[in-house]
Amino acid sequence: MFLAQAMGDDRSCQRVVKEASVSRLIHGLVPCSTHTGGYCKARKRLPTAMVSSLVCKTSELLDRHIPSEWRWHGRSVRIIDGTTVTLADTPANQKAYPQQKAQKPGLCVPICRIVGATCLSSGAIVNAAMGPYRGKGGSEHALLRSILPSFKSGDILLGDAIYGSYFALAECMARSIDVVFEQNGMRKRKTDFRKGVKLEARDHLIRLPKPKQCPEWMKQDDYHALPEELTIREVRIGNKILITSLLRPNDAPRNSLKELYHQRWHVELDIRNIKTILGMETLVCRTPDMAEKEMWIYFLA
């Protein structure tokens, strides 16, 4: 019923309860009550972890049946990107997902950030995380870190320049996950292809040093355990510079990387289509727990 509610034009609880009662009548069963109280209580008891696990499991089952020629050099590519959705304007949602800073209090609805990963081959949601638009734990990096354990060794993460930090690269490489990101704007201005180990024209290996300060979100022991530097590859593709842990040009030729990065736009289209077609731009549940559950129901749908 929750799935049917998410997929209907009228997403009210009353509509889905009435439809269930009519369906029972049509099939010769005793009709259920058309009061929504019982259904709403049942939705609250539905474990969020169960719904999120179903989303991940569905993606895994799809992945098993993907033809090898749909993969990139035989490997699974996960495209990551962030988006935002608004929520029902209730005190509980406002507290958990504060409105944008530029807006005066009371003049804007709660807003949350979602970082999702889609499969390049199938377009399915692989995993996702939800957090506040601003404040602790709501950055795209924090949300990405929360879902990194769900990726498998040998996967390739494809993303834009926002993800190309030392810490994101270090954790991915420690998990044997390769990355293809656009170079961060600040580092892009400092890129000098005359330095490092030259591979081809405008294609070289560099050493990325560990930042001198431990970030607030990281434990000191974890910071000290990180390598002092990472070896990454920088390659110019048109007017963009890509950074990748795919260090050998024979395994990842320039033209192949160019074609792969162009595919990154699929995540923009896939997530936009989910939001638009299913009407997910605004989550209607009135509490943070139910709003997160609603997000997973949409992704499952």
Side-chain angles (χ1 to χ4, degrees):
M1 288 174 67
F2 205 169
L3 274 172
Q5 185 178 6
M7 297 174 72
D9 293 331
D10 177 357
R11 292 182 290 163
S12 68
C13 293
Q14 187 65 75
R15 190 269 304 174
V16 75
V17 170
K18 286 181 176 178
E19 285 184 353
S21 184
V22 170
S23 177
R24 289 180 64 86
L25 274 172
I26 291 173
H27 291 89
L29 301 173
V30 178
C32 59
S33 169
T34 56
H35 294 293
T36 60
Y39 169 63
C40 291
K41 290 177 182 177
R43 289 197 318 171
K44 289 180 181 179
R45 292 194 300 269
L46 182 67
T48 302
M50 186 190 79
V51 186
S52 63
S53 296
L54 284 172
V55 174
C56 298
K57 186 64 177 177
T58 301
S59 173
E60 183 182 326
L61 292 172
L62 285 169
D63 202 59
R64 291 180 191 174
H65 294 87
I66 290 173
S68 59
E69 59 268 22
W70 288 14
R71 304 186 190 276
W72 189 80
H73 292 213
R75 299 177 65 180
S76 297
V77 177
R78 312 308 191 188
I79 322 177
I80 52 176
D81 197 30
T83 189
T84 59
V85 296
T86 55
L87 298 95
D89 193 5
T90 64
N93 284 341
Q94 280 282 8
K95 184 177 180 180
Y97 303 108
Q99 64 185 53
Q100 298 179 61
K101 232 175 190 178
Q103 299 289 337
K104 293 183 179 180
L107 297 183
C108 189
V109 296
I111 184 171
C112 74
R113 190 191 307 278
I114 296 172
V115 166
T118 63
C119 172
L120 175 60
S121 301
S122 69
I125 292 284
V126 177
N127 205 346
M130 181 177 178
Y133 182 75
R134 60 184 176 90
K136 188 174 181 180
S139 71
E140 291 195 32
H141 278 267
L143 296 176
L144 172 61
R145 286 194 300 271
S146 72
I147 63 174
L148 270 181
S150 66
F151 300 121
K152 298 177 181 177
S153 172
D155 283 350
I156 297 175
L157 286 193
L158 180 61
D160 59 21
I162 198 171
Y163 300 106
S165 72
Y166 166 89
F167 297 106
L169 292 168
E171 185 164 358
C172 288
M173 294 167 75
R175 295 177 180 275
S176 298
I177 299 169
D178 281 311
V179 302
V180 178
F181 299 147
E182 187 177 351
Q183 180 61 287
N184 180 280
M186 292 181 63
R187 285 196 53 81
K188 184 177 179 180
R189 291 193 291 271
K190 298 178 181 178
T191 298
D192 187 347
F193 285 102
R194 294 172 297 179
K195 299 179 180 180
V197 179
K198 183 176 180 180
L199 302 175
E200 297 176 351
R202 299 184 182 278
D203 186 353
H204 67 169
L205 302 181
I206 62 166
R207 293 178 177 178
L208 184 66
K210 179 168 69 173
K212 295 181 179 180
Q213 291 187 338
C214 174
E216 293 181 0
W217 53 266
M218 180 176 280
K219 295 179 180 178
Q220 284 287 344
D221 289 346
D222 293 337
Y223 171 79
H224 290 305
L226 292 171
E228 292 302 315
E229 59 185 21
L230 302 173
T231 299
I232 63 169
R233 178 183 173 193
E234 289 183 315
V235 53
R236 180 176 287 280
I237 304 292
N239 62 348
K240 298 183 184 298
I241 295 176
L242 302 185
I243 58 173
T244 179
S245 55
L246 300 166
L247 305 182
R248 299 174 57 185
N250 288 342
D251 297 334
R254 178 198 301 268
N255 287 339
S256 190
L257 287 174
K258 178 180 180 180
E259 181 183 343
L260 176 62
Y261 192 75
H262 283 168
Q263 300 296 313
R264 192 195 70 81
W265 286 104
H266 280 291
V267 73
E268 306 270 0
L269 302 176
D270 291 339
I271 293 179
R272 185 191 69 185
N273 288 343
I274 290 171
K275 289 170 62 177
T276 302
I277 293 171
L278 294 181
M280 188 186 166
E281 292 96 337
T282 298
L283 302 177
V284 299
C285 288
R286 302 179 65 79
T287 63
D289 288 344
M290 286 301 300
E292 182 180 1
K293 200 178 301 184
E294 185 182 1
M295 174 196 76
W296 284 113
I297 285 290
Y298 276 118
F299 287 156
L300 182 58

